[in-house]
């Protein structure tokens, strides 16, 4: 329903994964942050009091921690009372097919920075992650701290955890904004180590003592060769008496 209070829309829908959409050809949209809503919602969102671009807060009040996320709307093609979500969003909200989820329209600040952490070291195989992320973010309108979003590149799916957002510490809009992306080291990544060993200190000390002793012995021998050895011997001639 539309509450009329500061243009607020608030309603509960039954959530289903995108795979269950009647079209049957929407699976690729699992790698994005957009949802499908019924045509009746479009009529409500067209009300003059609703702020555009449209951004929504989805929350599961039945979960232990009342988890939530934020998103945009891709199409109004869902059946009455239903919405269709990407699989990662179903997991974030701890929802099973047919569970209730509350939707509230929100106005999020334009983001200036987001810190993401790849959930696999496979992400390091991407030669140009900046270009890949720039293209992937076109499928999102908002990012929420605590989410683990999904992107696709070269027919492979990568998951990235949202660790931090600015200026808001909770969630940001990434529509028509210059966004700085900071990538944390992927989970499981270990920086290469420099391995080296130190010889036993006692052995080093003994070697040093032996070397000094040997050097002193050589010095003594050299001195003997250069100067000779002075010997004192007794007189061996015959004695005579003066005047004889």
């Amino acid at each position: 329903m539309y509450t009329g209070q500061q243009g607020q829309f608030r309603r509960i829908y039954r959530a289903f994964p995108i795979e269950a959409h009647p079209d049957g050809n929407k699976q690729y949209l699992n790698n994005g942050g957009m949802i499908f809503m019924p045509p009746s919602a479009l009529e409500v969102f067209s009300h003059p009091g609703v702020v555009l671009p449209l951004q929504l807060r989805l929350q599961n009040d039945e979960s232990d921690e009342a988890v939530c996320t934020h998103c945009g709307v891709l199409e109004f093609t869902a059946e009455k009372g239903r919405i269709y979500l990407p699989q990662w969003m179903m997991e974030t909200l701890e929802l099973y097919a047919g569970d209730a989820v509350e939707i509230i329209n929100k106005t999020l600040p334009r983001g200036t920075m987001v810190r993401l952490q790849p959930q696999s070291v496979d992400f390091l195989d991407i030669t140009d992650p900046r270009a890949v992320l720039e293209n992937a973010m076109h499928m999102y309108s908002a990012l929420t701290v605590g989410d683990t979003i999904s992107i696709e590149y070269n027919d492979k799916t990568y998951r990235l955890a949202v660790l931090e957002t600015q200026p808001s510490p909770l969630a940001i809009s990434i529509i028509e904004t210059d966004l700085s992306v900071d990538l944390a080291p992927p989970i499981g990544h270990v920086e290469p180590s420099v391995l080296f060993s130190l010889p036993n200190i006692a052995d080093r000390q003994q070697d040093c003592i032996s070397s000094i002793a040997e050097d002193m012995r050589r010095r003594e021998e050299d001195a003997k060769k250069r100067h000779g050895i002075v010997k004192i011997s007794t007189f061996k001639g015959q004695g005579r008496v003066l005047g004889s």
Side-chain angles (χ1 to χ4, degrees):
M1 65 178 175
Y2 176 71
T3 65
Q5 298 178 355
Q6 297 181 345
Q8 187 177 71
F9 170 88
R10 194 183 196 106
R11 186 170 179 179
I12 294 177
Y13 290 90
R14 295 292 171 180
F16 293 86
I18 283 180
E19 285 84 352
H21 192 282
D23 190 324
N25 191 30
K26 306 289 188 182
Q27 289 84 349
Y28 69 97
L29 295 171
N30 275 316
N31 299 306
M34 302 291 190
I35 69 172
F36 296 81
M37 297 190 70
S40 57
L42 177 59
E43 299 176 4
V44 176
F45 291 142
S46 299
H47 191 281
V50 176
V51 178
L52 298 176
L54 185 62
Q55 292 180 319
L56 306 173
R57 173 187 172 96
L58 280 64
Q59 60 188 45
N60 179 5
D61 295 326
E62 299 300 322
S63 66
D64 293 338
E65 299 180 0
V67 290
C68 72
T69 189
H70 299 80
C71 66
V73 182
L74 184 63
E75 294 179 2
F76 294 92
T77 57
E79 303 96 316
K80 182 179 180 180
R82 288 190 171 200
I83 59 172
Y84 294 92
L85 314 179
Q87 183 59 39
W88 71 263
M89 203 176 289
M90 294 284 291
E91 296 171 3
T92 295
L93 296 173
E94 302 175 8
L95 295 171
Y96 293 96
D99 283 352
V101 60
E102 185 175 28
I103 293 184
I104 308 168
N105 68 312
K106 301 289 289 185
T107 302
L108 298 174
R110 289 186 177 182
T112 57
M113 189 282 290
V114 62
R115 181 171 172 80
L116 303 173
Q117 182 182 40
Q119 299 299 284
S120 169
V121 293
D122 292 345
F123 191 82
L124 297 176
D125 296 334
I126 299 177
T127 56
D128 191 353
R130 176 180 178 181
V132 171
L133 287 173
E134 183 178 353
N135 184 64
M137 289 300 106
H138 291 159
M139 298 294 292
Y140 289 83
S141 66
L143 294 172
T144 306
V145 172
D147 283 357
T148 301
I149 63 175
S150 178
I151 67 172
E152 183 181 16
Y153 175 67
N154 278 353
D155 298 324
K156 186 171 183 177
T157 298
Y158 299 90
R159 303 293 296 271
L160 299 102
V162 181
L163 303 182
E164 180 186 357
T165 57
Q166 293 179 6
S168 168
L170 301 177
I172 56 172
S173 167
I174 59 172
I175 298 176
E176 298 179 353
T177 184
D178 292 327
L179 187 66
S180 174
V181 178
D182 180 22
L183 281 178
I187 288 181
H189 175 62
V190 178
E191 292 289 345
S193 301
V194 178
L195 299 178
F196 58 91
S197 60
L198 292 174
N200 184 280
I201 299 301
D203 292 344
R204 289 289 299 275
Q205 291 174 335
Q206 185 60 44
D207 291 344
C208 184
I209 294 172
S210 299
S211 177
I212 293 174
E214 178 64 21
D215 184 62
M216 291 178 65
R217 186 185 65 80
R218 285 198 303 266
R219 288 173 180 269
E220 290 179 357
E221 291 181 352
D222 290 343
K224 291 176 182 179
K225 291 178 181 179
R226 289 195 302 269
H227 305 293
I229 298 177
V230 179
K231 292 184 178 180
I232 302 175
S233 54
T234 60
F235 178 72
K236 295 181 179 179
Q238 295 180 353
R240 290 186 179 185
V241 180
L242 293 177
S244 58

